[in-house]
Amino acid sequence: MAQLLAVLIDGLIYSSWLFIIAVGLTLIYGVMKILNIAHGSLYALGAYSAASLAGYWINHGYPPMGSYAVMLVAAILVGLIAGPVIERGLLRFMYGKDEIVLVLVTYAVFLILEDFVKLAWGVDPYFIAQPYGLLGSFDVGDLTYPNYNLVLFGAAVLIGAVLAWVLTKTRQGKMLLAVIHDREMSGAMGINVGRVYFITFTVGAMLGALGGTLTAPMISVQPGIGAETIVLAFAVVVIGGLGSLPGAALAAILVGIVRSAAVHYRPELDLFSIYLVMAVVLIMRPKGLFSAQEARKI
């Protein structure tokens, strides 16, 4: 029974992390139909920025609790700088081209940013473990979990709730849904599609960077973390259905629980379990759990 409880708790924590890293990717695809491979680099930039800024903050004797605000600022800065630069400087010239071309463009951006990270931060790992332990821990039976995991879970719930509220309850969200449904018709009705794309990509970049900043205290921040993460984010987005917010949430929970069970009972199947879930789902539903029907255009 205790092990089942551990599987459930570990699964929910991992699901929270998966949802945070995947939600920006699915948002960008849902609106812009761009499979943004550079999302992994935005995650890495967020992690490096958080490790550098929070490390500077703590090492100079500022209140350690302030490091959480510094990490949040790091994610916002990365999103506000990298998002507009990529969207305005490159992607806006590619709108209307084939999706494969856009994938190759974002892959090129990914490679450029990977080298930029090495030039800016070097190849040595960065550690910023203090925020992970500052909040103490809680016990469930014989198990002890850092309270930071609750922050991760709360952040995932908050992000999902805010995005769902914006999309369904606000005027801007309804404009976004109109663009998702038919870009040409939305433009003809007076919606500034270019501005919607700009805001969507910037928010998506910010969410990718936020995933990195929240993960930084739990890992060794080093070259290659972006490539590892984008593969997992793609798996979640594909399982849930490209561009589906509820699909990303359900897929993150499904993958998180299955992966947690594999870690506890068959640790050698850790990564295999994730791709097994993806294979099974795609066999039964080739476009993912929450894939929307596409309108046939003549």
Side-chain angles (χ1 to χ4, degrees), residues 16-245:
S16 305
W17 179 75
L18 284 174
F19 180 72
I20 291 171
I21 64 169
V23 68
L25 188 66
T26 202
L27 178 68
I28 290 173
Y29 184 85
V31 178
M32 305 170 69
K33 300 300 179 197
I34 295 176
L35 210 49
N36 180 27
I37 296 179
H39 195 74
S41 295
L42 296 169
Y43 167 90
L45 284 173
Y48 272 101
S49 300
S52 298
L53 294 179
Y56 178 88
W57 179 272
I58 292 172
N59 292 336
H60 282 74
Y62 296 113
M65 293 300 285
S67 60
Y68 298 109
V70 173
M71 289 164 57
L72 183 62
V73 169
I76 293 172
L77 285 177
V78 170
L80 289 179
I81 295 172
V85 168
I86 296 172
E87 200 278 336
R88 291 288 92 182
L90 186 62
L91 293 181
R92 71 187 176 103
F93 301 109
M94 302 291 172
Y95 294 148
K97 295 189 181 299
D98 192 87
E99 287 186 26
I100 298 298
V101 174
L102 292 169
V103 168
L104 293 175
V105 170
T106 60
Y107 180 60
V109 175
F110 168 78
L111 294 177
I112 292 169
L113 290 178
E114 285 293 293
D115 282 343
F116 171 77
V117 165
K118 292 175 187 172
L119 286 172
W121 282 279
V123 295
D124 293 330
Y126 282 67
F127 300 95
I128 180 65
Q130 291 90 337
Y132 192 56
L134 274 177
L135 300 176
S137 59
F138 65 97
D139 295 326
V140 179
D142 297 331
L143 306 171
T144 300
Y145 293 91
N147 284 334
Y148 189 83
N149 291 331
L150 297 177
V151 173
L152 206 62
F153 181 77
V157 172
L158 182 65
I159 291 170
V162 169
L163 286 178
W165 176 76
V166 169
L167 287 174
T168 57
K169 301 295 182 185
T170 67
R171 182 170 176 271
Q172 289 74 17
K174 291 172 182 174
M175 290 169 60
L176 200 66
L177 292 176
V179 173
I180 292 172
H181 183 70
D182 195 316
R183 184 181 67 180
E184 289 81 9
M185 183 63 73
S186 301
M189 296 297 290
I191 295 176
N192 188 336
V193 176
R195 186 167 176 268
V196 170
Y197 280 8
F198 172 75
I199 295 173
T200 300
F201 194 86
T202 302
V203 171
M206 210 175 293
L207 289 170
L210 181 63
T213 60
L214 289 174
T215 310
M218 303 189 296
I219 62 171
S220 162
V221 180
Q222 57 188 341
I225 58 173
E228 297 170 5
T229 304
I230 193 62
V231 174
L232 293 173
F234 270 134
V236 171
V237 171
V238 169
I239 291 170
L242 288 166
S244 169
L245 186 62

